[in-house]
Amino acid sequence: MDIKITFPDKHEAVFPAGITVKDALSAWNKDVLSSTVAVKVRGMAVDLSCSLQKDDPLALIDIKSKEGLSVLRHSISHVMAQAVQDVFPGTKVSIGPSIEDGFYYDFEYKETFTSDDFAKIEKRMKEIAAANYPFIREEISREKAVSFFAGKGENYKVELINDLPADVRTVSLYKQGDYVDLCRGPHIPATGMIKAFKLLSVAGAYWRGDERNKMLQRIYGTGFADESALNDYLNLLEEAKKRDHRRLGRELDLFQVNDEAGPGLIIFHPKGMLLRYIIEEWERKEHLKRGYDMVMGPQILKVDLWKKSGHFDHYRENMYFTEVEEQAYGIKPMNCLSHMLIYKSKIRSYRDLPLRYFELGTVHRHEKTGVLHGLMRARQFTQDDAHILCTPEQLNSEIRAIADFVNYAMGIFGFEYDVELSTRPEHSIGSDADWELATSALENALKDNKINYEINEGDGAFYGPKIDFKLKDALKRKWQCATIQCDFTLPERFELSYIGADGEKHRPVMLHRVILGAIERFMGVLIEHYAGAFPVWLAPVQCTLLTVTDKHKPYAEEVYNKLLDAEIRCEKYFENEKLGYKIRQAQMQKIPYMLVIGDKEMAAGTVAPRTRDGQNLGSLKVDEFVALVQEKCKTKL
């Protein structure tokens, strides 16, 4: 039997059924084989060794594409597992997926791996790559697979197979050289396509992420199509280390995470709290401009409410609970329940809508210790949370207004961003009809605002689809901050209503949204984006006064008081130290302006501003400097 294959350039060719993808591509254009790691057939990624049985179009997956890099990195993880077992006999393997910027593999071994072991592992990986072993796929029965891995002592693989659904009768194995692994695939054609990789770190990881299970050792690495891309990424990592908000948080005296207080709990120092205050005050003013009402709910609510909302069934593992007078309470992980109770406190008319409730609400979520990361991932954090209750007819304009607000905010802080529309997850509440309405409302608003977006299948909230705004920092890393969630379900569960123009009760729609997201995370992103050198309007300390000698202190005190009166955030540095040393210290603290005060300034009643990058602004009257700073603050520079 013959089949017709359609290639990416729309060229069609007839082949015998069973021809491999590789042979079909070779007949069409063999040059593409050097950069094609897999293809898509009917939307499914398959190996080049896959045999074609039907009339199909082929879509190439290039090694430099996002999907191609994922295939490459997954293949490198298999090569790393083989190398680790070769270099460290007795090692057991578990899982090794590709991730956002690389890959990892989890191992069980009697001794602790360290970064000193990486050179030996990488040497063996290079040998395996140079051998150009083909990745060979084999489908076998699950019983045969269990027997195979049990015979090798690979108990983690046995557990994975045994946990598959009962109706799964076969599994796929991949072999390169003499190494065999359990895997869905696809993989690159052969190890020779691996040209550029680097092992990066090792960390502990519980088997299957469960703290009750054995702690394994996770080796992280990354890989690229060529050395140039790898070197660019490694340089990016070095720059990211310099910008690490945890290090800068200590150096700039912004915040701490203290084991005595508990993991994932942030303690803000004066400068960090001032930075937070500036951001929050800006947000309050911007929300008031846009017709939001400020509200606040309690930290704990009865468990019955969390059951009613669905959080108890769908979010309980992320919550903390307590008991008061034999009554169970949930510590809030979200702010929406109180806002619904505010809405429900009296009868609402369609003329009252939309209602926009805004709260800088502190929430608590149980994050596993292994994922905690400074300000970026904490157990207590504050969201710039709002819930908009509106009629279905108002939905489009409200979503568009939020998207405009996000765009404005990202511009103020200097961020570009990408947009994703996340659809219904596997575990969710609500009817198909409501989900379809909510998803269409979000999608139509994006289209109306002419916003480009990608679909993120199955990653919505359990109660509704959402739009996610992924901001990009100075290093082009993406961070999830702003989101808009459309929810028909919770208003139904809480029996919210309004009286329509027809005099009948109707159900409002609820929009959950944040603009900056978690304030703590946003601060962490800001610290790394600016490398701690905040623009003048955000800087906790906008200037520091540096005296040349002790005799200049009285005049410097006068200047200091004038600056305070003008609401300029300033510090005094009057210690009897050399001026050069004072300047270096101020530069290390990344303070925007240093005001040098010596004989000339004291005689003329001026200051001599110097920027943190070394630029001298000449002699200025104090009022002139105040005007300079105020203009920077006004224009958000």
Side-chain angles (χ1 to χ4, degrees), residues 120-134:
K120 291 180 282 188
I121 298 170
E122 286 176 345
K123 180 175 181 291
R124 179 61 186 137
M125 289 173 70
K126 289 175 182 176
E127 292 169 352
I128 296 167
N132 200 26
Y133 296 121

Side-chain angles (χ1 to χ4, degrees), residues 108-261:
E108 180 188 326
Y109 186 58
K110 60 188 176 183
E111 296 176 15
T112 302
F113 294 131
T114 70
S115 56
D116 294 336
D117 297 319
F118 289 175
K120 291 180 282 188
I121 298 170
E122 286 176 345
K123 180 175 181 291
R124 179 61 186 137
M125 289 173 70
K126 289 175 182 176
E127 292 169 352
I128 296 167
N132 200 26
Y133 296 121
F135 277 89
I136 301 172
R137 179 187 175 96
E138 182 184 5
E139 297 265 349
I140 65 172
S141 70
R142 65 188 291 166
E143 292 79 14
K144 188 175 177 181
V146 166
S147 176
F148 173 77
F149 285 111
K152 293 169 66 71
E154 295 289 6
N155 52 295
Y156 297 106
K157 300 295 182 184
V158 171
E159 183 178 329
L160 288 171
I161 298 168
N162 285 335
D163 285 350
L164 291 171
D167 60 346
V168 176
R169 303 312 310 156
T170 62
V171 297
S172 56
L173 307 183
Y174 277 85
K175 178 180 180 181
Q176 80 266 7
D178 58 2
Y179 178 77
V180 181
D181 207 342
L182 175 73
C183 189
R184 257 183 333 197
H187 281 285
I188 59 177
T191 61
M193 287 192 89
I194 298 172
K195 304 294 185 184
F197 62 86
K198 182 73 176 173
L199 302 187
L200 300 173
S201 62
V202 61
Y206 291 106
W207 168 233
R208 292 186 147 179
D210 191 329
E211 296 170 356
R212 296 167 295 184
N213 289 338
K214 188 176 182 67
M215 174 73 80
L216 304 179
Q217 298 185 70
R218 176 172 295 177
I219 296 179
Y220 288 95
T222 193
F224 289 87
D226 53 55
E227 286 288 343
S228 175
L230 174 63
N231 290 333
D232 288 345
Y233 179 74
L234 295 178
N235 290 335
L236 188 71
L237 286 185
E238 285 303 310
E239 181 61 27
K241 286 180 184 176
K242 297 175 189 174
R243 293 170 178 258
D244 190 319
H245 75 283
R246 295 166 299 178
R247 180 178 67 82
L248 288 171
R250 291 190 300 271
E251 293 177 0
L252 303 181
D253 198 22
L254 300 174
F255 69 93
Q256 64 171 289
V257 181
N258 194 309
D259 287 341
E260 288 186 78

Side-chain angles (χ1 to χ4, degrees), residues 111 162 234 282 320 391 453 457 472 526 566 569 590 595 620:
E111 296 176 15
N162 285 335
L234 295 178
W282 173 82
Y320 297 107
T391 68
Y453 63 95
E457 293 287 352
K472 292 185 280 190
L526 278 180
R569 301 187 291 274
K590 304 181 185 290
L595 305 185
L620 294 177

